[in-house]
Amino acid sequence: MTEERQEARVCAARLIFAAQALRCLAYGLAAVMAVGAAALVLTLDPQVVILGGGYSRSADLLIDPLERELRRLCLRVPEIRASNLGADSVALGALRVALDQVDARLFTDGMPAPLTLHA
């Protein structure tokens, strides 16, 4: 066996090991996340649970184990989706809350909201 072939086998073995380790890490993280998510699901009974922020980037690894853990902990498991906002979701949510407060202050107390023109 040539040296390149031996090196390729070692690299392949390392990649397989890394993939398995990553999968184990994802399952462990999903198990921990499921405890908090289950408390919210059992309390609020949502139709959908959204993985947001940095977790949305790992959704392909987290959704299945999270759903499996929630099935173990909850009576009814909502749909689990990944946010497409990524790491900006927190800032965008804060901006939405601020805009809602400005809107409530400007357009309440008898003052009508501005009309929008539709083309």
Side-chain angles (χ1 to χ4, degrees):
M1 183 179 302
T2 66
E3 189 175 319
E4 290 89 17
R5 201 172 240 187
Q6 180 65 26
E7 190 174 319
R9 286 184 180 213
V10 169
C11 286
R14 287 180 180 164
L15 285 173
I16 290 170
F17 177 77
Q20 290 171 341
L22 183 59
R23 195 172 300 114
C24 287
L25 181 65
Y27 276 78
L29 178 59
V32 171
M33 289 173 64
V35 174
L40 292 171
V41 166
L42 291 168
T43 304
L44 302 173
D45 192 28
Q47 295 296 314
V48 178
V49 170
I50 305 291
L51 286 178
Y55 295 113
S56 64
R57 288 181 280 171
S58 303
D60 56 329
L61 293 172
L62 290 173
I63 287 178
D64 288 339
L66 180 58
E67 185 175 350
R68 194 172 301 119
E69 287 295 314
L70 285 177
R71 287 196 190 291
R72 193 175 61 78
L73 298 170
C74 298
L75 301 171
R76 189 192 67 77
V77 177
E79 180 182 355
I80 302 172
R81 293 188 209 163
S83 169
N84 56 3
L85 300 176
D88 294 336
S89 61
V90 174
L92 291 172
L95 180 61
R96 179 75 259 167
V97 168
L99 289 172
D100 287 346
Q101 288 181 358
V102 168
D103 188 50
R105 288 182 185 172
L106 290 177
F107 302 115
T108 55
D109 301 322
M111 187 176 205
L115 297 176
T116 57
L117 300 175
H118 299 286

